[in-house]
Amino acid sequence: MIRTIRNAVVRRADEKAIGQEGKRWVRSWINVFRSKVDARVPADEATLAQLVTEGEYCCVGKSHSYNGVQVVPSATAMMMREGGLDTLEYDPATETVRVGASVSVRELKTYLCDKHHRGLHNSGNYMEQSVVGALATGTHGFGPRGVMADSIVELSFLDGAGQRRTLAKGDPDFDYVALSFGTIAPIVELVLETKPLEPYVSVSSMSRLSKLDELKAGALAANWAVLPYSDREDPVIMLHALAECDQATELEAHPKAKGGSGHFAKWFLRHYYNFDRFLPKFRRPMQRFIGWLDLKQSERVITDPKDLDYLYDPKPGLKEKRAPSITRGLFSTTYTGYNLAFFVPLDKAQAVVKFLIREADDLRDLGFFLKGVISVRELPGTAGPVFAANAWEPMAAIDLFADPRDYAWLERLQRLVMQYEPKTRPHFGKSALGPDYCEALGPSHIGTLMSIHAKHYPRGQLLFSERVRSMLGVGRPVAGEAAADSGLVS
């Protein structure tokens, strides 16, 4: 009760501080990482250009990260999402849109949809994050062009002297700067590719992992989630698959459940989240029970072309924080727990999930339980930015969830996966970042990025988080970090 009241007070204080300058808290999602900063809200680019020349600074979007990549102590924080860099201009000749650093994903999607009947190739489903912040940290959806930054054709940023620099696709440094996880900032404008709005066939199915390849055959995009405690050998899965409308017959669908047992199973699934939330110790037996039910069913709908969130919500209209209806409660975890994510080669995804199921189940006697599901979003294509998850080969994003107090167990599971799959790549807003990732990212590529950073910020006034600094192996911890302030390092 005390914790709930305290969290509510903190949330209200943070909401009241939006738009205000001066000492404020910056917090990661779920508040695991936080720091007090000297906030500045740039009204325009000229003001921002002056601010970046005055001393050490960092840039903050909406703090939509779980690992604190935007939390930098002892630096002036440019609150980019709250500022006045709100450019939104669509160019019908090139079918691209110019977006300012203060524009949110929601604002961009609504503008494109309502005024130009266009949409993004992909995006995350948290719509209040800034477009620039989302792209800089590797935000992704699933399916072709899965990583948002792959749609950038031009970007403009301010260097250490406050001068605007512009890079276009094809320029030597472009593929590094397009997804630089905060090492090139502030990015003030982006130009993005768009696509026409169109309906899709959306099939959400409940089945078994052994049926996955059969069920997603013919799909343009596939997102699946596994109940980790249902069955070690063949766990229950929920699959959300999208297909072009002219490929509607390609996706297999189970018949809907009928009879008393089928209706009971649907009722149980619909209320599973409430059981799980209030009786977490029963998570494993409840999932075992779901596995025992062995329910196989599907829902097929045609998405509304104007649905802003069809990748995650196939019903017409925007209904946020909601997954396909037969699996809705099972997907609610991201709003109630800590989320850690990383990428593995797509052809290893099923093996990695089975490995995680075994490792997590063996920890339950220590009181640790995964929360709800292991989510897998497939990125079948490859992307241009060097640090995109799928820069070199198709990948799968693995999302793990747990109660916030248990997030260290998720970091342990991530490192175990890295031990056996060296091509594991980080999600820059959700992974436990560290030197372990240097090899997967490519030391030569990291060196190139840091040389680009040094060229534009020779005085070192742009700071980025300790998590990123550790991953890149650059510099000592900055003042305000415990390791520096305690004298552990000098």
Side-chain angles (χ1 to χ4, degrees):
M1 176 65 75
I2 294 176
R3 184 184 295 117
T4 301
I5 295 172
R6 184 190 64 194
N7 290 342
V9 170
V10 167
R11 279 196 301 272
R12 272 197 224 98
D14 287 350
E15 289 168 1
K16 287 182 179 179
I18 292 175
Q20 297 182 10
E21 298 196 332
K23 292 294 183 181
R24 284 170 51 183
W25 286 94
V26 170
R27 309 174 197 275
S28 66
W29 201 251
I30 311 294
N31 196 26
V32 173
F33 297 91
R34 62 266 193 184
S35 178
K36 209 164 193 178
V37 299
D38 186 15
R40 293 291 180 269
V41 181
D44 50 41
E45 188 174 324
T47 303
L48 180 61
Q50 177 61 37
L51 288 171
V52 301
T53 64
E54 294 178 354
E56 294 180 335
Y57 70 92
C58 63
C59 293
V60 178
K62 189 65 177 177
S63 286
H64 180 59
S65 70
Y66 287 77
N67 61 4
V69 291
Q70 292 178 301
V71 180
V72 182
S74 71
T76 300
M78 309 302 174
M79 310 302 289
M80 304 297 290
R81 172 72 181 93
E82 301 170 22
L85 284 76
D86 53 5
T87 300
L88 263 178
E89 298 172 356
Y90 177 70
D91 181 356
T94 60
E95 298 181 335
T96 59
V97 62
R98 185 174 295 273
V99 188
S102 301
V103 177
S104 70
V105 173
R106 177 195 298 278
E107 291 165 343
L108 172 57
K109 283 187 168 185
T110 302
Y111 168 78
L112 287 173
C113 176
D114 292 350
K115 294 191 175 182
H116 302 286
H117 204 64
R118 306 287 294 184
L120 299 176
H121 285 279
N122 227 311
S123 77
N125 62 333
Y126 179 63
M127 294 203 182
E128 299 311 316
Q129 62 186 319
S130 67
V131 175
V132 170
L135 273 67
T137 52
T139 292
H140 63 96
F142 57 99
R145 309 292 297 275
V147 175
M148 282 185 74
D150 192 35
S151 296
I152 302 174
V153 296
E154 181 184 292
L155 61 82
S156 298
F157 63 93
L158 301 185
D159 65 13
Q163 299 297 308
R164 177 186 270 236
R165 305 294 180 188
T166 298
L167 295 174
K169 185 174 282 190
D171 291 343
D173 295 346
F174 178 84
D175 283 342
Y176 289 89
V177 178
L179 206 173
S180 67
F181 37 90
T183 62
I184 306 295
I187 294 174
V188 292
E189 278 187 357
L190 295 169
V191 177
L192 303 173
E193 295 175 295
T194 66
K195 68 180 186 66
L197 297 180
E198 56 185 317
Y200 294 93
V201 177
S202 170
V203 176
S204 50
S205 305
M206 186 166 192
S207 189
R208 295 280 183 172
L209 185 60
S210 58
K211 289 277 290 181
L212 175 62
D213 291 337
E214 181 181 344
L215 285 170
K216 73 177 185 180
L220 175 75
N223 178 26
W224 42 285
V226 179
L227 269 63
Y229 301 110
S230 57
D231 187 322
R232 281 190 175 205
E233 301 305 321
D234 196 11
V236 173
I237 67 166
M238 286 76 66
L239 169 68
H240 179 204
L242 290 174
E244 303 284 358
C245 282
D246 60 358
Q247 301 292 319
T249 58
E250 296 292 323
L251 286 178
E252 178 182 330
H254 293 302
K256 290 188 176 181
K258 297 179 180 179
S261 62
H263 291 310
F264 169 74
K266 289 186 71 172
W267 175 88
F268 184 81
L269 288 173
R270 195 160 53 245
H271 293 86
Y272 168 84
Y273 170 62
N274 291 327
F275 291 133
D276 181 85
R277 181 179 181 185
F278 294 108
L279 297 168
K281 291 183 179 180
F282 289 91
R283 187 168 298 155
R284 188 170 185 269
M286 282 194 296
Q287 291 197 7
R288 295 279 182 184
F289 179 63
I290 292 171
W292 176 80
L293 288 173
D294 199 26
L295 180 65
K296 296 180 176 64
Q297 60 172 310
S298 294
E299 290 182 346
R300 183 192 296 266
V301 298
I302 303 296
T303 64
D304 186 331
K306 290 192 173 183
D307 190 336
L308 299 186
D309 205 17
Y310 63 85
L311 285 177
Y312 300 91
D313 173 16
K315 297 287 186 179
L318 175 63
K319 296 178 177 65
E320 295 175 89
K321 301 184 182 179
R322 202 194 83 173
S325 60
I326 64 170
T327 60
R328 190 175 312 152
L330 295 161
F331 274 86
S332 301
T333 51
T334 187
Y335 301 96
T336 59
Y338 189 85
N339 180 201
L340 180 144
F342 50 87
F343 300 90
V344 299
L346 183 56
D347 61 0
K348 295 287 188 69
Q350 293 189 37
V352 169
V353 166
K354 288 182 177 180
F355 173 75
L356 289 167
I357 287 173
R358 286 163 170 75
E359 289 292 331
D361 201 27
D362 288 344
L363 294 173
R364 70 183 189 279
D365 63 322
L366 297 175
F368 169 71
F369 286 91
L370 288 171
K371 193 174 181 68
V373 297
I374 298 172
S375 176
V376 183
R377 298 176 188 174
E378 297 190 359
L379 284 66
T382 55
V386 172
F387 295 107
N390 58 338
W392 313 119
E393 63 181 303
M395 301 290 276
I398 308 287
D399 280 74
L400 304 177
F401 307 89
D403 293 318
R405 65 186 178 189
D406 289 334
Y407 80 94
W409 287 114
L410 298 184
E411 294 190 2
R412 168 176 162 163
L413 292 174
Q414 171 192 298
R415 289 193 161 91
L416 284 172
V417 171
M418 293 170 65
Q419 178 178 334
Y420 295 105
E421 179 42 67
K423 291 183 180 178
T424 301
R425 288 173 69 92
H427 185 305
F428 298 118
K430 295 179 180 179
S431 278
L433 301 178
D436 327 52
Y437 275 123
C438 287
E439 195 61 36
L441 292 174
S444 64
H445 291 303
I446 291 174
T448 300
L449 175 64
M450 296 318 300
S451 67
I452 295 170
H453 168 82
K455 176 174 67 176
H456 293 294
Y457 307 97
R459 293 191 294 128
Q461 73 272 43
L462 169 61
L463 299 183
F464 34 93
S465 81
E466 183 58 22
R467 270 67 63 195
V468 174
R469 293 166 69 87
S470 175
M471 179 178 66
L472 300 179
V474 294
R476 297 287 187 175
V478 297
E481 293 285 356
D485 294 351
S486 63
L488 180 61
V489 296
S490 58

